[in-house]
Amino acid sequence: MSWSQILDEWPLVEADLHEFYGVDVGAPGLLAARSWRWLRVRILGLLSADSRLSRLNTPPPEPPRPARGG
């Protein structure tokens, strides 16, 4: 998933950051007080968690097919 794709899904990223890290990116001055690295590490963490962002990138497994009787 590219950074462009991640940023296109910003509402999901914002919700995940709040749920997983308790980070409200809408809080005045929060992002201005943090480094790009700080935000990057947390967003990359969302890709390896069971987050909205990772589920968007990973389709659910196909259900098992019924066995054919013979």
Side-chain angles (χ1 to χ4, degrees):
M1 183 170 237
S2 71
W3 281 105
S4 176
Q5 292 169 311
I6 290 170
L7 295 176
D8 283 345
E9 302 298 338
W10 187 251
L12 299 180
V13 172
E14 191 170 344
D16 284 345
L17 286 169
H18 191 267
E19 180 179 341
F20 284 86
Y21 301 109
V23 173
D24 180 1
V25 295
L30 176 88
L31 292 180
R34 301 292 184 168
S35 68
W36 168 245
R37 182 187 177 284
W38 177 88
L39 182 60
R40 180 181 174 273
V41 165
R42 280 149 187 82
I43 292 173
L44 291 177
L46 294 175
L47 292 172
S48 62
D50 184 23
S51 67
R52 295 164 184 86
L53 187 62
S54 70
R55 287 191 299 269
L56 178 72
N57 197 37
T58 308
E62 290 188 28
R65 295 182 181 197
R68 294 182 129 181

